[in-house]
Amino acid sequence: MNVRMYIEEHLTDVVRTGTEASASIVFGEDFSVFRGHFPGNPTLPGVCELICVEVLLERIFGRTMAVTELSKAKFFSPVTPGESLQIELSGLPAESEEGAGAVFSARIVSGGRKIAVFAKIRVG
């Protein structure tokens, strides 16, 4: 199973309220990427966190979405197997809009710990 398929299967608790949305995911020890990143110290690659944002957008807008521009990505804390992550989006367009060309931001947290922040994300 590839990374996107894993995320699509494991992303839960999707909620949208106006210009904000959120979802949860747990990357279990069975997630194949952990075997090679890094052996003996499994750590979630940042690109997987960005794919979580894309998949959440796809759930919200009901179509394939891809990040086409990203002004800033900041990673604060590593993610290990079994951690529950919350993906939070803000600045989304109105629910009646399709989302293409929208500019918004995202953050990922685990409990009270900040994991990553993505600013000025544009999707197409």
mmCIF file of all heavy atoms in Angstrom, residues 30-64:
data_model
loop_
_atom_site.group_PDB
_atom_site.id
_atom_site.type_symbol
_atom_site.label_atom_id
_atom_site.label_comp_id
_atom_site.label_asym_id
_atom_site.label_seq_id
_atom_site.Cartn_x
_atom_site.Cartn_y
_atom_site.Cartn_z
ATOM 1 N N ASP A 30 2.835 -0.447 11.625
ATOM 2 C CA ASP A 30 2.764 -1.168 10.353
ATOM 3 C C ASP A 30 2.990 -0.251 9.151
ATOM 4 O O ASP A 30 3.133 -0.731 8.028
ATOM 5 C CB ASP A 30 1.406 -1.855 10.208
ATOM 6 C CG ASP A 30 0.241 -0.867 10.175
ATOM 7 O OD1 ASP A 30 0.343 0.209 10.804
ATOM 8 O OD2 ASP A 30 -0.775 -1.179 9.532
ATOM 9 N N PHE A 31 3.042 1.067 9.341
ATOM 10 C CA PHE A 31 3.247 2.000 8.238
ATOM 11 C C PHE A 31 4.636 1.756 7.658
ATOM 12 O O PHE A 31 5.649 1.950 8.332
ATOM 13 C CB PHE A 31 3.082 3.435 8.730
ATOM 14 C CG PHE A 31 3.151 4.480 7.659
ATOM 15 C CD1 PHE A 31 2.423 4.359 6.490
ATOM 16 C CD2 PHE A 31 3.939 5.598 7.829
ATOM 17 C CE1 PHE A 31 2.479 5.333 5.503
ATOM 18 C CE2 PHE A 31 4.007 6.588 6.862
ATOM 19 C CZ PHE A 31 3.272 6.452 5.690
ATOM 20 N N SER A 32 4.697 1.333 6.407
ATOM 21 C CA SER A 32 5.948 0.859 5.790
ATOM 22 C C SER A 32 7.069 1.896 5.781
ATOM 23 O O SER A 32 8.246 1.535 5.840
ATOM 24 C CB SER A 32 5.682 0.383 4.363
ATOM 25 O OG SER A 32 5.195 1.451 3.564
ATOM 26 N N VAL A 33 6.741 3.162 5.733
ATOM 27 C CA VAL A 33 7.767 4.212 5.674
ATOM 28 C C VAL A 33 8.645 4.206 6.920
ATOM 29 O O VAL A 33 9.829 4.531 6.859
ATOM 30 C CB VAL A 33 7.099 5.586 5.455
ATOM 31 C CG1 VAL A 33 8.095 6.721 5.556
ATOM 32 C CG2 VAL A 33 6.402 5.613 4.103
ATOM 33 N N PHE A 34 8.080 3.809 8.062
ATOM 34 C CA PHE A 34 8.861 3.793 9.299
ATOM 35 C C PHE A 34 10.051 2.830 9.224
ATOM 36 O O PHE A 34 11.045 3.024 9.914
ATOM 37 C CB PHE A 34 7.983 3.418 10.499
ATOM 38 C CG PHE A 34 7.084 4.531 10.974
ATOM 39 C CD1 PHE A 34 5.754 4.278 11.259
ATOM 40 C CD2 PHE A 34 7.557 5.821 11.162
ATOM 41 C CE1 PHE A 34 4.919 5.285 11.719
ATOM 42 C CE2 PHE A 34 6.732 6.843 11.614
ATOM 43 C CZ PHE A 34 5.412 6.569 11.888
ATOM 44 N N ARG A 35 9.952 1.787 8.398
ATOM 45 C CA ARG A 35 11.063 0.822 8.313
ATOM 46 C C ARG A 35 12.339 1.453 7.764
ATOM 47 O O ARG A 35 13.437 1.059 8.126
ATOM 48 C CB ARG A 35 10.652 -0.376 7.453
ATOM 49 C CG ARG A 35 9.674 -1.284 8.156
ATOM 50 C CD ARG A 35 9.533 -2.610 7.435
ATOM 51 N NE ARG A 35 8.980 -2.477 6.087
ATOM 52 C CZ ARG A 35 7.682 -2.492 5.793
ATOM 53 N NH1 ARG A 35 6.800 -2.617 6.744
ATOM 54 N NH2 ARG A 35 7.291 -2.383 4.548
ATOM 55 N N GLY A 36 12.202 2.448 6.879
ATOM 56 C CA GLY A 36 13.399 3.031 6.282
ATOM 57 C C GLY A 36 13.701 4.443 6.743
ATOM 58 O O GLY A 36 14.691 5.031 6.336
ATOM 59 N N HIS A 37 12.869 5.001 7.591
ATOM 60 C CA HIS A 37 13.032 6.409 7.984
ATOM 61 C C HIS A 37 12.845 6.538 9.484
ATOM 62 O O HIS A 37 11.751 6.847 9.938
ATOM 63 C CB HIS A 37 11.990 7.252 7.257
ATOM 64 C CG HIS A 37 12.265 8.722 7.275
ATOM 65 N ND1 HIS A 37 11.753 9.574 8.226
ATOM 66 C CD2 HIS A 37 12.987 9.505 6.448
ATOM 67 C CE1 HIS A 37 12.134 10.803 7.970
ATOM 68 N NE2 HIS A 37 12.883 10.796 6.905
ATOM 69 N N PHE A 38 13.659 6.345 10.278
ATOM 70 C CA PHE A 38 15.054 5.944 10.185
ATOM 71 C C PHE A 38 15.186 4.615 10.913
ATOM 72 O O PHE A 38 14.595 4.457 11.970
ATOM 73 C CB PHE A 38 15.946 6.988 10.848
ATOM 74 C CG PHE A 38 15.886 8.336 10.199
ATOM 75 C CD1 PHE A 38 15.049 9.324 10.665
ATOM 76 C CD2 PHE A 38 16.679 8.607 9.094
ATOM 77 C CE1 PHE A 38 15.014 10.576 10.067
ATOM 78 C CE2 PHE A 38 16.661 9.858 8.494
ATOM 79 C CZ PHE A 38 15.820 10.846 8.980
ATOM 80 N N PRO A 39 15.975 3.685 10.384
ATOM 81 C CA PRO A 39 16.120 2.386 11.045
ATOM 82 C C PRO A 39 16.559 2.550 12.500
ATOM 83 O O PRO A 39 17.486 3.279 12.809
ATOM 84 C CB PRO A 39 17.196 1.683 10.215
ATOM 85 C CG PRO A 39 17.112 2.335 8.864
ATOM 86 C CD PRO A 39 16.749 3.766 9.150
ATOM 87 N N GLY A 40 15.832 1.904 13.399
ATOM 88 C CA GLY A 40 16.152 1.995 14.817
ATOM 89 C C GLY A 40 15.558 3.212 15.506
ATOM 90 O O GLY A 40 15.534 3.295 16.728
ATOM 91 N N ASN A 41 15.098 4.180 14.741
ATOM 92 C CA ASN A 41 14.494 5.394 15.284
ATOM 93 C C ASN A 41 13.399 5.867 14.322
ATOM 94 O O ASN A 41 13.537 6.898 13.672
ATOM 95 C CB ASN A 41 15.555 6.478 15.463
ATOM 96 C CG ASN A 41 15.004 7.707 16.156
ATOM 97 O OD1 ASN A 41 14.011 7.639 16.862
ATOM 98 N ND2 ASN A 41 15.645 8.839 15.929
ATOM 99 N N PRO A 42 12.290 5.105 14.226
ATOM 100 C CA PRO A 42 11.265 5.427 13.233
ATOM 101 C C PRO A 42 10.668 6.817 13.430
ATOM 102 O O PRO A 42 10.229 7.166 14.527
ATOM 103 C CB PRO A 42 10.212 4.336 13.434
ATOM 104 C CG PRO A 42 10.475 3.756 14.777
ATOM 105 C CD PRO A 42 11.915 3.999 15.091
ATOM 106 N N THR A 43 10.721 7.616 12.351
ATOM 107 C CA THR A 43 10.243 8.990 12.366
ATOM 108 C C THR A 43 9.439 9.258 11.098
ATOM 109 O O THR A 43 9.878 8.903 10.005
ATOM 110 C CB THR A 43 11.440 9.967 12.423
ATOM 111 O OG1 THR A 43 12.261 9.611 13.542
ATOM 112 C CG2 THR A 43 10.982 11.396 12.564
ATOM 113 N N LEU A 44 8.294 9.887 11.235
ATOM 114 C CA LEU A 44 7.443 10.197 10.095
ATOM 115 C C LEU A 44 8.078 11.293 9.246
ATOM 116 O O LEU A 44 8.402 12.366 9.753
ATOM 117 C CB LEU A 44 6.066 10.660 10.595
ATOM 118 C CG LEU A 44 5.010 10.882 9.523
ATOM 119 C CD1 LEU A 44 4.579 9.548 8.919
ATOM 120 C CD2 LEU A 44 3.816 11.616 10.111
ATOM 121 N N PRO A 45 8.245 11.056 7.942
ATOM 122 C CA PRO A 45 8.784 12.107 7.067
ATOM 123 C C PRO A 45 7.793 13.269 6.939
ATOM 124 O O PRO A 45 6.575 13.069 6.899
ATOM 125 C CB PRO A 45 8.954 11.407 5.716
ATOM 126 C CG PRO A 45 8.933 9.947 6.017
ATOM 127 C CD PRO A 45 8.084 9.791 7.238
ATOM 128 N N GLY A 46 8.306 14.479 6.841
ATOM 129 C CA GLY A 46 7.464 15.663 6.716
ATOM 130 C C GLY A 46 6.541 15.623 5.513
ATOM 131 O O GLY A 46 5.425 16.139 5.559
ATOM 132 N N VAL A 47 6.986 15.005 4.426
ATOM 133 C CA VAL A 47 6.139 14.944 3.236
ATOM 134 C C VAL A 47 4.842 14.189 3.530
ATOM 135 O O VAL A 47 3.789 14.503 2.968
ATOM 136 C CB VAL A 47 6.894 14.342 2.027
ATOM 137 C CG1 VAL A 47 7.172 12.857 2.233
ATOM 138 C CG2 VAL A 47 6.131 14.563 0.736
ATOM 139 N N CYS A 48 4.868 13.230 4.436
ATOM 140 C CA CYS A 48 3.649 12.501 4.818
ATOM 141 C C CYS A 48 2.671 13.441 5.511
ATOM 142 O O CYS A 48 1.452 13.322 5.335
ATOM 143 C CB CYS A 48 3.988 11.320 5.722
ATOM 144 S SG CYS A 48 4.959 10.045 4.910
ATOM 145 N N GLU A 49 3.183 14.383 6.269
ATOM 146 C CA GLU A 49 2.332 15.356 6.937
ATOM 147 C C GLU A 49 1.641 16.254 5.907
ATOM 148 O O GLU A 49 0.454 16.567 6.029
ATOM 149 C CB GLU A 49 3.143 16.165 7.936
ATOM 150 C CG GLU A 49 3.706 15.297 9.055
ATOM 151 C CD GLU A 49 4.745 15.973 9.915
ATOM 152 O OE1 GLU A 49 4.700 17.222 10.045
ATOM 153 O OE2 GLU A 49 5.587 15.267 10.477
ATOM 154 N N LEU A 50 2.368 16.632 4.869
ATOM 155 C CA LEU A 50 1.786 17.454 3.816
ATOM 156 C C LEU A 50 0.735 16.660 3.021
ATOM 157 O O LEU A 50 -0.306 17.206 2.649
ATOM 158 C CB LEU A 50 2.885 17.982 2.891
ATOM 159 C CG LEU A 50 2.475 19.057 1.900
ATOM 160 C CD1 LEU A 50 1.838 20.255 2.591
ATOM 161 C CD2 LEU A 50 3.670 19.498 1.079
ATOM 162 N N ILE A 51 0.984 15.387 2.801
ATOM 163 C CA ILE A 51 -0.003 14.550 2.113
ATOM 164 C C ILE A 51 -1.278 14.447 2.948
ATOM 165 O O ILE A 51 -2.388 14.412 2.404
ATOM 166 C CB ILE A 51 0.581 13.169 1.768
ATOM 167 C CG1 ILE A 51 1.704 13.323 0.737
ATOM 168 C CG2 ILE A 51 -0.502 12.236 1.228
ATOM 169 C CD1 ILE A 51 2.513 12.056 0.503
ATOM 170 N N CYS A 52 -1.157 14.431 4.270
ATOM 171 C CA CYS A 52 -2.352 14.446 5.139
ATOM 172 C C CYS A 52 -3.210 15.671 4.842
ATOM 173 O O CYS A 52 -4.443 15.585 4.797
ATOM 174 C CB CYS A 52 -1.956 14.450 6.610
ATOM 175 S SG CYS A 52 -1.321 12.900 7.236
ATOM 176 N N VAL A 53 -2.576 16.813 4.641
ATOM 177 C CA VAL A 53 -3.291 18.043 4.324
ATOM 178 C C VAL A 53 -4.020 17.880 2.992
ATOM 179 O O VAL A 53 -5.209 18.216 2.870
ATOM 180 C CB VAL A 53 -2.336 19.257 4.302
ATOM 181 C CG1 VAL A 53 -3.027 20.497 3.754
ATOM 182 C CG2 VAL A 53 -1.777 19.519 5.695
ATOM 183 N N GLU A 54 -3.343 17.357 1.984
ATOM 184 C CA GLU A 54 -3.974 17.144 0.679
ATOM 185 C C GLU A 54 -5.182 16.213 0.780
ATOM 186 O O GLU A 54 -6.238 16.492 0.215
ATOM 187 C CB GLU A 54 -2.974 16.559 -0.323
ATOM 188 C CG GLU A 54 -1.955 17.523 -0.825
ATOM 189 C CD GLU A 54 -1.010 16.908 -1.843
ATOM 190 O OE1 GLU A 54 -0.856 15.671 -1.899
ATOM 191 O OE2 GLU A 54 -0.413 17.690 -2.601
ATOM 192 N N VAL A 55 -5.024 15.112 1.485
ATOM 193 C CA VAL A 55 -6.116 14.141 1.605
ATOM 194 C C VAL A 55 -7.297 14.763 2.356
ATOM 195 O O VAL A 55 -8.459 14.557 1.968
ATOM 196 C CB VAL A 55 -5.633 12.838 2.277
ATOM 197 C CG1 VAL A 55 -6.794 11.919 2.603
ATOM 198 C CG2 VAL A 55 -4.623 12.122 1.371
ATOM 199 N N LEU A 56 -7.031 15.539 3.380
ATOM 200 C CA LEU A 56 -8.119 16.213 4.093
ATOM 201 C C LEU A 56 -8.844 17.166 3.140
ATOM 202 O O LEU A 56 -10.081 17.212 3.114
ATOM 203 C CB LEU A 56 -7.583 16.959 5.317
ATOM 204 C CG LEU A 56 -8.591 17.802 6.101
ATOM 205 C CD1 LEU A 56 -9.821 16.997 6.499
ATOM 206 C CD2 LEU A 56 -7.918 18.413 7.322
ATOM 207 N N LEU A 57 -8.116 17.909 2.339
ATOM 208 C CA LEU A 57 -8.740 18.802 1.358
ATOM 209 C C LEU A 57 -9.603 18.023 0.365
ATOM 210 O O LEU A 57 -10.696 18.462 0.000
ATOM 211 C CB LEU A 57 -7.662 19.590 0.605
ATOM 212 C CG LEU A 57 -6.972 20.674 1.406
ATOM 213 C CD1 LEU A 57 -5.711 21.139 0.704
ATOM 214 C CD2 LEU A 57 -7.917 21.839 1.655
ATOM 215 N N GLU A 58 -9.120 16.869 -0.065
ATOM 216 C CA GLU A 58 -9.883 16.046 -0.997
ATOM 217 C C GLU A 58 -11.201 15.590 -0.376
ATOM 218 O O GLU A 58 -12.238 15.570 -1.037
ATOM 219 C CB GLU A 58 -9.051 14.851 -1.451
ATOM 220 C CG GLU A 58 -7.918 15.262 -2.350
ATOM 221 C CD GLU A 58 -6.945 14.146 -2.690
ATOM 222 O OE1 GLU A 58 -7.121 13.003 -2.205
ATOM 223 O OE2 GLU A 58 -5.996 14.424 -3.440
ATOM 224 N N ARG A 59 -11.161 15.243 0.900
ATOM 225 C CA ARG A 59 -12.398 14.852 1.590
ATOM 226 C C ARG A 59 -13.369 16.021 1.665
ATOM 227 O O ARG A 59 -14.573 15.863 1.510
ATOM 228 C CB ARG A 59 -12.095 14.359 2.998
ATOM 229 C CG ARG A 59 -11.330 13.095 3.065
ATOM 230 C CD ARG A 59 -12.229 11.883 3.246
ATOM 231 N NE ARG A 59 -11.415 10.687 3.342
ATOM 232 C CZ ARG A 59 -11.009 10.148 4.480
ATOM 233 N NH1 ARG A 59 -11.370 10.673 5.629
ATOM 234 N NH2 ARG A 59 -10.255 9.066 4.459
ATOM 235 N N ILE A 60 -12.843 17.207 1.919
ATOM 236 C CA ILE A 60 -13.693 18.386 2.069
ATOM 237 C C ILE A 60 -14.326 18.790 0.739
ATOM 238 O O ILE A 60 -15.517 19.076 0.667
ATOM 239 C CB ILE A 60 -12.886 19.565 2.648
ATOM 240 C CG1 ILE A 60 -12.505 19.277 4.089
ATOM 241 C CG2 ILE A 60 -13.654 20.874 2.544
ATOM 242 C CD1 ILE A 60 -11.462 20.221 4.632
ATOM 243 N N PHE A 61 -13.506 18.826 -0.316
ATOM 244 C CA PHE A 61 -13.978 19.343 -1.601
ATOM 245 C C PHE A 61 -14.464 18.253 -2.560
ATOM 246 O O PHE A 61 -15.004 18.555 -3.614
ATOM 247 C CB PHE A 61 -12.895 20.202 -2.254
ATOM 248 C CG PHE A 61 -12.636 21.475 -1.501
ATOM 249 C CD1 PHE A 61 -11.474 21.639 -0.770
ATOM 250 C CD2 PHE A 61 -13.574 22.501 -1.485
ATOM 251 C CE1 PHE A 61 -11.238 22.813 -0.059
ATOM 252 C CE2 PHE A 61 -13.354 23.670 -0.777
ATOM 253 C CZ PHE A 61 -12.184 23.825 -0.063
ATOM 254 N N GLY A 62 -14.251 16.989 -2.209
ATOM 255 C CA GLY A 62 -14.777 15.903 -3.026
ATOM 256 C C GLY A 62 -14.107 15.723 -4.371
ATOM 257 O O GLY A 62 -14.713 15.213 -5.312
ATOM 258 N N ARG A 63 -12.865 16.130 -4.468
ATOM 259 C CA ARG A 63 -12.114 15.943 -5.719
ATOM 260 C C ARG A 63 -10.618 15.915 -5.412
ATOM 261 O O ARG A 63 -10.195 16.312 -4.323
ATOM 262 C CB ARG A 63 -12.437 17.032 -6.736
ATOM 263 C CG ARG A 63 -11.992 18.415 -6.337
ATOM 264 C CD ARG A 63 -12.387 19.441 -7.410
ATOM 265 N NE ARG A 63 -11.763 20.712 -7.194
ATOM 266 C CZ ARG A 63 -10.534 21.042 -7.580
ATOM 267 N NH1 ARG A 63 -9.776 20.183 -8.199
ATOM 268 N NH2 ARG A 63 -10.048 22.237 -7.345
ATOM 269 N N THR A 64 -9.831 15.468 -6.357
ATOM 270 C CA THR A 64 -8.387 15.399 -6.191
ATOM 271 C C THR A 64 -7.824 16.807 -6.011
ATOM 272 O O THR A 64 -8.175 17.718 -6.746
ATOM 273 C CB THR A 64 -7.731 14.733 -7.422
ATOM 274 O OG1 THR A 64 -8.290 13.439 -7.571
ATOM 275 C CG2 THR A 64 -6.228 14.634 -7.263
#
